[in-house]
Amino acid sequence: MTQMRIVSLVFLMDSFQSLPSLLLLLLTTTSLLVQPSFSTPHQSLNTKLGFRVGATRVDYGKNLTKLQLVQRSLHRGRARLEMFTKMATTASGNNIQAPIFPGSGEFLMNMSIGTPSVPMSAILDTGSDLIWTQCMPCTKCFDQPTPVFDTTKSSTCSNVSCTSDFCQDMNVFKCMDGCKYLYSYGDESSTEGFMAQDTFTFEDSGSGPVSIPNIGFGCGVNNQGTGFGQGSGLVGLGRGPLSLVSQLGLGKFSYCLTSISENKTSNVLFGALADLNYSTSGASHRTPLVQNPFQPSFYYVSLEGITIGETLLPMPKSTMKLKEDGSGGMIIDSGTTLTYLQEEAFRALKMEFKSQMKLRVSESSDTIGLDLCFDLPTEDLSEITVPKLKLHFEGVDLELPPENYMISDPSMGVVCLAMAASSRMSILGNIQQQNLLVLHDLEKETVSFIPTQCDQL
Ligand SMILES: *[C@@H]1O[C@H](CO)[C@@H](O)[C@H](O)[C@H]1NC(C)=O
Ligand SMILES: *[C@@H]1O[C@H](CO)[C@@H](O)[C@H](O)[C@H]1NC(C)=O
Ligand SMILES: *[C@@H]1O[C@H](CO)[C@@H](O)[C@H](O)[C@H]1NC(C)=O
Ligand SMILES: *[C@@H]1O[C@H](CO)[C@@H](O)[C@H](O)[C@H]1NC(C)=O
Ligand SMILES: *[C@@H]1O[C@H](CO)[C@@H](O)[C@H](O)[C@H]1NC(C)=O
């Protein structure tokens, strides 16, 4: 059977997402080779099991129409893309401090800092490392929903000295009356301030609050830009030593993203809890992580082929392979919404969808901002057929549910492919990761994709 039925269109996703990933693509060319010399102060977390926190999309709970969601995300993406293109052509490297990507702020999680603890909501970003929040004395802070953190009011907070491990890492720090940092993001957003350490408290929905002392984070006193969503800062979950996962030293984490159309909470799981359903599903879902020395924070995987319906796309296995110069390859990212494929691969995929979909190619793709849309039939919207889509990673074939790659909008009369072309790096976006437990095992250096009903975790 080459075709799969979508019984109810209403269940299909209804938000189009933008092009934030293009930032990443360009960042690869400008990033520095960083060799962290930093030894992580591993915390001994008393909960052996680890913990879980809820995460919600930036537009969570807002009563937006599909079209509004589309426009918001496209706008976000376009602004970033323009800024970054400009920067890439003029960059001498001076204004880029670290290969960091703010994500598009697609997911937020709640936590609190200090003693007594101050709640905050932070953008989750698997594409960068630093944890930071806005701090007093603010010289420039954007509006945030909770009070700005004041290190002097927390009895457990201390400033990080220049000689500490935290301050020795990377090239973002400067010794100047304490440990100072400056992080610039691709869209001309930046955060500047001093490094501190304090207790972070996460609200585990099952076991209650989990407090972890001495987490190193940036206290941003000069924070510019609009790219930080509705949070008060950012939590990096990248592979580098400063990220939350590295600082916790728990070896693994996973996330399980609910469908974008559902308005339900997603989950991020740290430690042993992360492989929740792993035993039932085993190694068959596991693919090796690849390391790119030019982009040490990113989670690269090897995508070797794609099957549409029964047709394996005609392209060499190496098409999306990471090249020796650090270009190409595919990363998994929770902060990028669409999936971006290397151009040649995307062209082949698009052609195959055109030939297998039994619908007319829409002329409104351009105005919608997606590459390939089809006109929905004017009557009987109850079911349309779409070809199956299988991603062949090294060691695992992942068949995606149709709502992970087809977005329909009956009000606009179209159904669109949630994928686009990229001229450099490929990115597995968050729409494609819906209802999968995406397990990052940092010790075994693998990623597993385990089909999971994420709203029931
Ligand atoms: C985070 O906190 C806000 C404000 O208290 C709340 O509305 C939201 O639902 C919380 N999000 C999660 C994922 O728990
Ligand atoms: C989404 O869920 C939140 C929390 O349960 C609720 O407050 C909000 O009204 C919901 N929004 C929509 C548009 O359904
Ligand atoms: C959401 O917006 C629509 C159209 O603007 C309106 O009719 C509806 O009552 C709103 N729903 C909620 C829960 O606010
Ligand atoms: C840490 O350093 C900053 C900036 O140098 C200063 O404003 C703050 O009061 C210091 N905090 C503590 C707890 O010493
Ligand atoms: C975990 O795996 C079991 C067995 O495969 C399955 O029945 C269950 O629904 C899974 N849990 C979740 C939350 O998906």
Side-chain angles (χ1 to χ4, degrees):
M1 195 173 110
T2 56
Q3 307 255 300
M4 176 181 280
R5 280 178 183 270
I6 297 181
V7 179
S8 166
L9 271 175
V10 200
F11 281 111
L12 286 178
M13 279 165 309
D14 53 9
S15 166
F16 299 102
Q17 286 291 336
S18 43
L19 301 167
S21 60
L22 292 180
L23 276 180
L24 278 177
L25 316 181
L26 295 164
L27 269 171
T28 35
T29 60
T30 47
S31 66
L32 311 161
L33 177 55
V34 182
Q35 297 288 2
S37 58
F38 166 81
S39 68
T40 307
H42 287 209
Q43 314 294 338
S44 53
L45 197 65
N46 48 14
T47 36
K48 278 219 175 57
L49 206 58
F51 61 99
R52 80 160 73 181
V53 292
T56 49
R57 287 203 180 249
V58 164
D59 285 333
Y60 178 77
K62 291 196 182 141
N63 188 16
L64 294 169
T65 66
K66 288 167 188 167
L67 188 57
Q68 285 167 330
L69 282 170
V70 172
Q71 285 165 336
R72 286 166 70 87
S73 58
L74 285 182
H75 182 74
R76 276 203 298 262
R78 205 168 289 130
R80 281 211 173 78
L81 183 60
E82 277 166 15
M83 292 284 204
F84 204 79
T85 310
K86 203 170 67 198
M87 226 170 123
T89 51
T90 57
S92 58
N94 286 342
N95 49 352
I96 294 183
Q97 307 298 316
I100 316 165
F101 172 59
S104 54
E106 289 304 317
F107 289 91
L108 292 165
M109 79 182 203
N110 290 340
M111 55 193 203
S112 50
I113 314 182
T115 314
S117 68
V118 178
M120 71 172 272
S121 131
I123 293 170
L124 275 178
D125 185 18
T126 50
S128 68
D129 294 332
L130 186 72
I131 305 166
W132 65 269
T133 185
Q134 302 199 110
C135 281
M136 299 297 274
C138 247
T139 50
K140 190 160 194 300
C141 280
F142 50 84
D143 286 343
Q144 67 173 53
T146 48
V148 172
F149 187 65
D150 186 346
T151 55
T152 61
K153 299 219 166 99
S154 169
S155 63
T156 43
C157 191
S158 59
N159 278 352
V160 160
S161 81
C162 273
T163 51
S164 84
D165 284 346
F166 280 122
C167 205
Q168 306 287 313
D169 184 51
M170 305 223 193
N171 56 338
V172 292
F173 300 114
K174 208 163 51 184
C175 265
M176 220 180 68
D177 185 24
C179 180
K180 299 286 158 65
Y181 76 92
L182 169 63
Y183 258 37
S184 299
Y185 294 96
D187 59 354
E188 292 186 357
S189 306
S190 64
T191 170
E192 186 181 0
F194 56 95
M195 282 300 281
Q197 56 187 59
D198 205 344
T199 301
F200 278 54
T201 303
F202 302 92
E203 196 60 49
D204 183 303
S205 46
S207 63
V210 177
S211 288
I212 301 149
N214 302 324
I215 300 273
F217 66 102
C219 242
V221 296
N222 180 5
N223 310 297
Q224 323 243 9
T226 52
F228 302 122
Q230 291 131 30
S232 313
L234 191 142
V235 169
L237 293 178
R239 296 178 85 177
L242 285 172
S243 77
L244 180 64
V245 277
S246 300
Q247 288 199 49
L248 293 174
L250 288 174
K252 55 190 152 192
F253 77 100
S254 63
Y255 51 77
C256 202
L257 307 176
T258 56
S259 166
I260 191 171
S261 58
E262 276 180 357
N263 190 28
K264 293 201 173 127
T265 307
S266 300
N267 276 287
V268 189
L269 306 120
F270 297 93
L273 203 58
D275 59 6
L276 202 63
N277 236 9
Y278 190 67
S279 49
T280 55
S281 33
S284 57
H285 299 285
R286 192 164 64 200
T287 186
L289 275 172
V290 179
Q291 186 87 56
N292 180 357
F294 297 92
Q295 287 289 11
S297 297
F298 295 157
Y299 297 96
Y300 282 88
V301 286
S302 301
L303 181 62
E304 299 177 330
I306 300 175
T307 298
I308 313 295
E310 304 275 286
T311 311
L312 181 65
L313 296 184
M315 60 183 187
K317 263 190 171 182
S318 58
T319 309
M320 279 171 288
K321 208 177 154 131
L322 179 64
K323 313 271 187 304
E324 263 177 30
D325 65 359
S327 66
M330 173 179 254
I331 63 160
I332 308 176
D333 189 30
S334 60
T336 301
T337 297
L338 298 182
T339 281
Y340 294 85
L341 294 178
Q342 189 270 354
E343 279 168 330
E344 203 183 310
F346 184 71
R347 244 193 323 269
L349 175 121
K350 191 170 160 180
M351 237 164 70
E352 204 50 47
F353 266 102
K354 277 186 184 171
S355 85
Q356 292 192 30
M357 287 285 288
K358 305 253 181 314
L359 298 173
R360 198 179 53 208
V361 172
S362 169
E363 276 159 21
S364 49
S365 295
D366 270 359
T367 40
I368 292 165
L370 285 172
D371 263 288
L372 183 60
C373 294
F374 298 92
D375 289 327
L376 287 171
T378 44
E379 69 277 352
D380 191 17
L381 275 176
S382 61
E383 56 181 48
I384 57 161
T385 54
V386 298
K388 286 186 179 179
L389 174 63
K390 249 189 223 157
L391 301 176
H392 306 288
F393 294 101
E394 183 184 342
V396 52
D397 298 327
L398 179 65
E399 183 177 329
L400 296 177
E403 63 270 23
N404 283 23
Y405 54 95
M406 280 296 183
I407 300 174
S408 89
D409 190 332
S411 72
M412 293 178 70
V414 291
V415 55
C416 300
L417 183 67
M419 294 186 160
S422 128
S423 57
R424 288 170 191 271
M425 175 199 286
S426 301
I427 299 169
L428 187 69
N430 63 46
I431 285 193
Q432 279 67 33
Q433 298 177 57
Q434 293 178 135
N435 289 319
L436 292 171
L437 184 73
V438 182
L439 168 63
H440 296 62
D441 189 321
L442 309 176
E443 277 157 7
K444 293 203 188 89
E445 306 209 350
T446 58
V447 170
S448 306
F449 301 99
I450 306 158
T452 302
Q453 208 45 52
C454 293
D455 60 347
Q456 279 156 36
L457 264 193

